[in-house]
């Protein structure tokens, strides 16, 4: 067996820091003691001795203590997400090819205005076929109406079923015209270069935003204690895409993590 014996040795920088603290404490307290002795016994301070001693105590004790205890402004850096008060995503309800783009990124649109038009040849063909089948069922019903009323009734029922299917297909055709669900500005929208692109059902075609731009930031416990944010505090924000530009705003709400409320700072229009 091999036995090893070791001694705990303090690092050199720790010893240096301890010596520095001892030296500074001795120097500060020594200077303070000499100053107070001078103020209390010097002939020059005799007329204002009490006032001089009080000022000396304020200078040596109260002011340093206040500097330590009074909180100073601090900076806290946190990642945030920029958004507007209201955001409404727009998606396709039917698959199709982009035939025309009316509302591109950056355009201001009104609620109900057409943003994008799609085409779907299969859907248009099925509508035409349904109309032919309806006309044929109507013709057969008229032919059987006098001599075979039972068959005429069957054809009439078939015609009603086909008519229901036709209405449903026309509704789907109307959905190829994608309208803005609300008024606002289009972001992340399509452009003219997207004409001819196939979009499946549920594909995103844009985002309608309106209201004040805001930033939602999440602070951990340490940062929250340091910053102590409150409503009305001024904050600064830099977008990841334009770090050279600093925007300012005001805190309008502070809420704990997991709450439905948000920590928001309204910013100027970008």
């Amino acid at each position: 067996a091999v036995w090893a014996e070791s001694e705990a040795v303090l690092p050199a920088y720790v010893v240096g820091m301890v010596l520095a603290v001892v030296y500074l404490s001795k120097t500060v307290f020594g200077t303070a003691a000499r100053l107070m002795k001078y103020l209390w016994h010097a002939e020059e301070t005799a007329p204002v001795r009490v006032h001089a001693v009080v000022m000396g105590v304020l200078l040596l004790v109260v002011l340093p203590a206040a500097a330590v205890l009074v909180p100073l402004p601090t900076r806290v850096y946190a990642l945030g997400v920029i958004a507007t008060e209201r955001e409404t995503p727009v998606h396709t309800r039917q698959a199709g090819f982009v035939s025309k783009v009316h509302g591109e990124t950056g355009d201001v649109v009104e609620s109900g205005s057409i943003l994008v038009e799609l085409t779907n040849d299969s859907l248009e063909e099925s509508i035409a076929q349904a109309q032919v089948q309806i006309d044929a069922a109507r013709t057969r019903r008229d032919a059987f109406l006098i001599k075979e009323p039972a068959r005429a009734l069957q054809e009439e029922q078939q015609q009603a079923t086909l008519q229901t299917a036709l209405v449903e297909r026309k509704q789907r055709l109307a959905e190829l015209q994608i309208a803005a669900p609300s008024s606002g500005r289009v972001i992340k929208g399509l452009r003219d270069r997207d004409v001819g692109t196939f979009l499946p059902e549920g594909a995103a075609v844009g985002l309608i935003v309106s209201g004040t731009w805001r930033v939602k930031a999440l602070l951990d416990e340490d940062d929250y204690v340091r910053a102590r944010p409150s409503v009305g505090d001024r904050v600064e924000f830099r977008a990841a895409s334009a770090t050279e530009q600093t925007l300012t705003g005001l805190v309008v709400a502070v809420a704990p993590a997991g709450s439905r409320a948000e920590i928001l700072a309204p910013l100027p229009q970008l």
Side-chain angles (χ1 to χ4, degrees), residues 87-103:
E87 295 187 351
T88 307
V90 184
H91 298 87
T92 60
R93 300 183 64 180
Q94 299 294 330
F97 291 89
V98 178
S99 61
K100 194 169 185 179
V101 177
H102 298 278

Side-chain angles (χ1 to χ4, degrees), residues 152-200:
L153 180 59
Q154 293 177 354
E155 295 296 339
E156 186 172 352
Q157 293 175 344
Q158 178 67 14
Q159 179 184 345
T161 301
L162 293 172
Q163 188 67 44
T164 300
L166 178 61
V167 171
E168 186 271 336
R169 293 174 187 178
K170 286 184 176 181
Q171 290 176 346
R172 293 173 57 193
L173 183 65
E175 291 175 350
L176 292 176
Q177 290 191 334
I178 304 171
S182 61
S183 300
R185 185 179 299 275
V186 180
I187 65 174
K188 301 179 182 178
L190 301 181
R191 299 186 181 275
D192 286 337
R193 63 172 178 264
D194 296 313
V195 172
T197 303
F198 176 77
L199 298 180

Side-chain angles (χ1 to χ4, degrees), residues 251-266:
V251 176
V252 297
V254 179
S259 171
R260 289 181 179 272
E262 298 178 344
I263 303 176
L264 298 172

Side-chain angles (χ1 to χ4, degrees), residues 83-133:
T84 57
E85 292 179 280
R86 293 174 294 278
E87 295 187 351
T88 307
V90 184
H91 298 87
T92 60
R93 300 183 64 180
Q94 299 294 330
F97 291 89
V98 178
S99 61
K100 194 169 185 179
V101 177
H102 298 278
E104 295 189 1
T105 298
D107 290 348
V108 176
V109 296
E110 298 294 331
S111 177
S113 61
I114 302 301
L115 296 178
V116 180
E117 293 184 26
L118 305 179
T119 58
N120 188 319
D121 293 340
S122 298
L123 183 56
E124 293 176 359
E125 184 179 350
S126 68
I127 291 176
Q129 290 177 350
Q131 186 62 58
V132 170
Q133 292 173 347

Side-chain angles (χ1 to χ4, degrees), residues 4-269:
E5 183 178 71
S6 64
E7 296 180 356
V9 179
L10 290 176
Y13 71 89
V14 175
V15 176
M17 292 179 59
V18 172
L19 292 177
V21 171
V22 172
Y23 175 77
L24 290 176
S25 300
K26 183 177 180 180
T27 301
V28 171
F29 283 111
T31 302
R34 289 193 297 271
L35 176 60
M36 296 304 297
K37 183 178 180 180
Y38 170 78
L39 294 176
W40 188 258
H41 296 288
E43 295 181 1
E44 294 86 349
T45 61
V48 290
R49 178 161 290 131
V50 175
H51 181 71
V53 171
V54 171
M55 293 302 296
V57 172
L58 288 175
L59 180 63
L60 297 174
V61 178
V62 177
L63 291 181
V68 173
L69 298 178
V70 174
L72 298 177
T74 183
R75 285 183 176 268
V76 172
Y77 298 90
L79 295 177
V81 178
I82 187 170
T84 57
E85 292 179 280
R86 293 174 294 278
E87 295 187 351
T88 307
V90 184
H91 298 87
T92 60
R93 300 183 64 180
Q94 299 294 330
F97 291 89
V98 178
S99 61
K100 194 169 185 179
V101 177
H102 298 278
E104 295 189 1
T105 298
D107 290 348
V108 176
V109 296
E110 298 294 331
S111 177
S113 61
I114 302 301
L115 296 178
V116 180
E117 293 184 26
L118 305 179
T119 58
N120 188 319
D121 293 340
S122 298
L123 183 56
E124 293 176 359
E125 184 179 350
S126 68
I127 291 176
Q129 290 177 350
Q131 186 62 58
V132 170
Q133 292 173 347
I134 291 173
D135 294 340
R138 183 183 299 112
T139 300
R140 289 192 297 269
R141 182 206 61 182
D142 294 342
F144 296 134
L145 192 58
I146 298 177
K147 295 183 179 180
E148 300 182 56
R151 293 191 61 181
L153 180 59
Q154 293 177 354
E155 295 296 339
E156 186 172 352
Q157 293 175 344
Q158 178 67 14
Q159 179 184 345
T161 301
L162 293 172
Q163 188 67 44
T164 300
L166 178 61
V167 171
E168 186 271 336
R169 293 174 187 178
K170 286 184 176 181
Q171 290 176 346
R172 293 173 57 193
L173 183 65
E175 291 175 350
L176 292 176
Q177 290 191 334
I178 304 171
S182 61
S183 300
R185 185 179 299 275
V186 180
I187 65 174
K188 301 179 182 178
L190 301 181
R191 299 186 181 275
D192 286 337
R193 63 172 178 264
D194 296 313
V195 172
T197 303
F198 176 77
L199 298 180
E201 181 179 348
V205 296
L207 184 66
I208 308 297
V209 300
S210 60
T212 306
W213 285 95
R214 296 188 170 190
V215 172
K216 180 180 179 182
L218 179 63
L219 302 179
D220 59 26
E221 184 177 359
D222 293 338
D223 287 341
Y224 179 82
V225 171
R226 290 172 56 202
R228 290 292 180 185
S230 58
V231 175
D233 288 350
R234 295 186 65 83
V235 294
E236 293 182 351
F237 170 76
R238 291 184 181 181
S241 58
T243 56
E244 71 284 353
Q245 182 182 14
T246 300
L247 304 175
T248 60
L250 299 177
V251 176
V252 297
V254 179
S259 171
R260 289 181 179 272
E262 298 178 344
I263 303 176
L264 298 172
L267 299 174
Q269 290 291 334

